[in-house]
Amino acid sequence: MESVYYRGPVIAHPGLRFTDHTVPVPLDHRRPRGAAIEVFAREVVAADRAGDDLPWLLYLQGGPGGKSPRPLGADGWLGHAVRTHRVLLLDQRGTGRSTPLTGRTVKGFDDADLAAYLKLFRADSIVADAEILRATVAGGARWDTLGQSYGGFLTLTYLSAAPEALRTCYITGGLPGLTAHADDVYALTYPKVAARNAEFYRTFPDAAAAVRRIADHLTDNDVRLPDGDRLTVDRFRLLGMLFGLSTGYAQLHWILDEAWHGAELSDTFLAEVWRQTAFTDVPFAALQECTFGQGGPPTAWAADRARHDHPEFDAGADPLLFTGEMMYPWMFREIAALRPFAGAADLLAATVDWPPLYDRDRLADNRVPVFAAVYPDDVYVPAELSLWTAAEVGNLRAWVADGYQHDALRTDGPAVLGHLMGMAARSGSLR
């Protein structure tokens, strides 16, 4: 693998200074001299601290497969973090500017080769990428991490693989079940999503009739989204992914509010449904269930199988329920961005040889301070599994953050990150 590291110029931004870093990494870290891909990360520092010797904070985005935020200012959790740290915003492999994973970039792959390729985009590979970034960008210094959602999954993989790289770890809404199969996750999340539907319909009493009218129209008519995909009832129901967000009920309400233009569904409605369900960030859909694969039985389209155990989600149920953060086989046939991955997704669902992502013995003996926010009402990462993991991992302190939803780091970042950093300071972990 050729070693060509690119460091961009320092870019001034109101209150911040940016430096871009592009680093070559092995596609397969087990074969370091084989094919390479590029991983991109953006260094962010407060303008008035640009020359200071600050500790690093690596931000691990949600996903699986998520590019880091593109900051618009020195506010939110980032504004709080740059008071004390030099922050590195990582685009996980396959996303953003890190060798993107899209139908265009995998054109020409057959299904088996594409499935093998996708297997190299899980947490173990992302952590190995981070270690190359730490050596290249941070000069090998130990760093702190902030893992949001799937970023917490990455954090536990990091603690399993290279704890010597880490000083202090912060996790928000992302403590996974260390041994949980996808079946265990959906056994918990389907009832939670059903409860969110009920709360949505209580909050907006006219919504049930509005949703049924739209569903009946979609059943009786061939309605097309802006990219030409047909809008089906099942795709419409994917809007339930919004229910895990603090503003999710209101967002869905306003989408429904502008649904009609006369007797036809409006262009505004169709454009927003497309934006919410297009899955142009392919790694999320293709790898979502794979995050739970660790040997044992295959995931075997667990969300789809579990749905049959919950008749309240039947298409003819009244009221019609929206689904949550769940991936179904039909999505890879009906959604344009996912169609090139359909055959590979079936192969991944049948895979039984997933390598373990977490070393339970090493995590039980963990010495790196970990501070984690757990949200009791989280419909994406069940608190039941998170609290079990918190009890299993050494030197981990959990904050049960009542009143917050999964996106609390985005909506109330200074308070959430400030609370976790305060826990670290009071514990004497900061050094």
Side-chain angles (χ1 to χ4, degrees):
M1 181 184 73
E2 292 185 12
S3 180
V4 181
Y5 160 53
Y6 172 73
R7 176 189 175 104
V10 176
I11 300 173
H13 191 84
L16 300 172
R17 296 293 180 269
F18 298 155
T19 306
D20 291 354
H21 302 270
T22 304
V23 178
V25 301
L27 171 63
D28 185 345
H29 284 277
R30 298 166 301 178
R31 298 176 175 83
R33 297 186 182 278
I37 60 174
E38 289 185 340
V39 168
F40 169 82
R42 176 167 286 121
E43 174 186 342
V44 185
V45 65
D48 59 357
R49 304 211 64 184
D52 294 351
D53 183 16
L54 298 171
W56 285 88
L57 176 71
L58 172 68
Y59 179 65
L60 299 169
Q61 173 68 297
K67 68 181 181 182
S68 266
R70 272 45 181 171
L72 300 177
D75 53 8
W77 71 261
L78 181 61
H80 186 87
V82 296
R83 296 178 188 175
T84 54
H85 288 75
R86 191 175 298 271
V87 177
L88 193 67
L89 301 174
L90 168 64
D91 283 358
Q92 296 165 27
R93 58 169 51 199
T95 72
R97 290 173 58 183
S98 292
T99 305
L101 182 60
T102 67
R104 182 182 304 173
T105 63
V106 300
K107 190 174 182 179
F109 281 68
D110 63 27
D111 290 343
D113 286 343
L114 182 52
Y117 186 68
L118 289 168
K119 288 180 179 181
L120 301 174
F121 286 75
R122 292 209 311 159
D124 44 4
S125 295
I126 295 169
V127 167
D129 294 342
E131 277 297 271
I132 291 177
L133 278 166
R134 188 172 68 90
T136 307
V137 176
R142 290 191 307 148
W143 51 18
D144 298 336
T145 62
L146 170 58
Q148 159 64 14
S149 187
Y150 178 64
F153 293 42
L154 295 173
T155 302
L156 293 189
T157 300
Y158 213 150
L159 288 165
S160 297
E164 68 281 358
L166 306 172
R167 294 193 332 155
T168 304
C169 298
Y170 305 103
I171 296 173
T172 54
L175 279 179
L178 298 179
T179 60
H181 186 270
D183 291 342
D184 303 319
V185 174
Y186 296 122
L188 293 168
T189 54
Y190 265 105
K192 293 177 187 291
V193 174
R196 289 293 172 87
N197 274 273
E199 187 174 0
F200 170 70
Y201 285 130
R202 284 195 300 270
T203 304
F204 298 101
D206 295 336
V211 167
R212 176 52 65 187
R213 180 189 175 196
I214 292 169
D216 290 346
H217 183 82
L218 295 177
T219 300
D220 296 339
N221 297 274
D222 184 346
V223 177
R224 296 287 162 166
L225 293 168
D227 64 351
D229 280 352
R230 181 171 182 175
L231 176 56
T232 62
V233 175
D234 277 341
R235 183 154 179 184
F236 170 51
R237 294 206 285 169
L238 293 179
L239 292 176
M241 287 186 291
L242 293 169
F243 286 165
L245 307 179
S246 57
T247 58
Y249 296 162
Q251 285 181 258
L252 181 54
H253 166 71
W254 291 122
I255 292 171
L256 299 175
D257 184 65
E258 295 186 286
W260 296 97
H261 185 186
E264 301 296 329
L265 290 169
S266 71
D267 289 343
T268 298
F269 171 80
L270 295 174
E272 185 60 19
V273 172
W274 177 84
R275 189 180 73 84
Q276 294 288 346
T277 67
F279 290 94
T280 50
D281 291 330
V282 171
F284 174 76
L287 296 172
Q288 198 260 350
E289 287 197 359
C290 298
T291 61
F292 307 113
Q294 297 193 83
T299 55
W301 293 112
D304 192 51
R305 289 186 291 103
R307 183 165 140 183
H308 298 296
D309 297 330
H310 295 277
E312 65 271 28
F313 284 90
D314 289 349
D318 186 25
L320 183 67
L321 299 193
F322 291 90
T323 52
E325 190 177 78
M326 297 137 180
M327 302 301 128
Y328 302 104
W330 65 262
M331 296 167 61
F332 290 82
R333 299 188 299 271
E334 297 181 14
I335 297 177
L338 301 183
R339 283 190 202 109
F341 298 85
D346 284 333
L347 293 174
L348 293 177
T351 296
V352 296
D353 61 348
W354 293 112
L357 295 172
Y358 313 120
D359 185 329
R360 291 184 65 192
D361 290 336
R362 199 168 199 181
L363 289 172
D365 195 40
N366 173 59
R367 295 291 183 266
V368 178
V370 183
F371 302 91
V374 176
Y375 308 126
D377 296 329
D378 200 328
V379 296
Y380 299 148
V381 181
E384 297 92 328
L385 297 179
S386 296
L387 293 174
W388 180 87
T389 295
E392 290 286 308
V393 177
N395 209 19
L396 188 153
R397 295 171 178 82
W399 166 40
V400 179
D402 260 322
Y404 282 117
Q405 296 298 334
H406 189 77
D407 60 344
L409 187 66
R410 177 179 62 81
T411 60
D412 200 10
V416 171
L417 182 56
H419 186 97
L420 294 176
M421 287 184 163
M423 290 172 65
R426 290 189 296 273
S427 72
S429 298
L430 299 182
R431 54 191 184 278

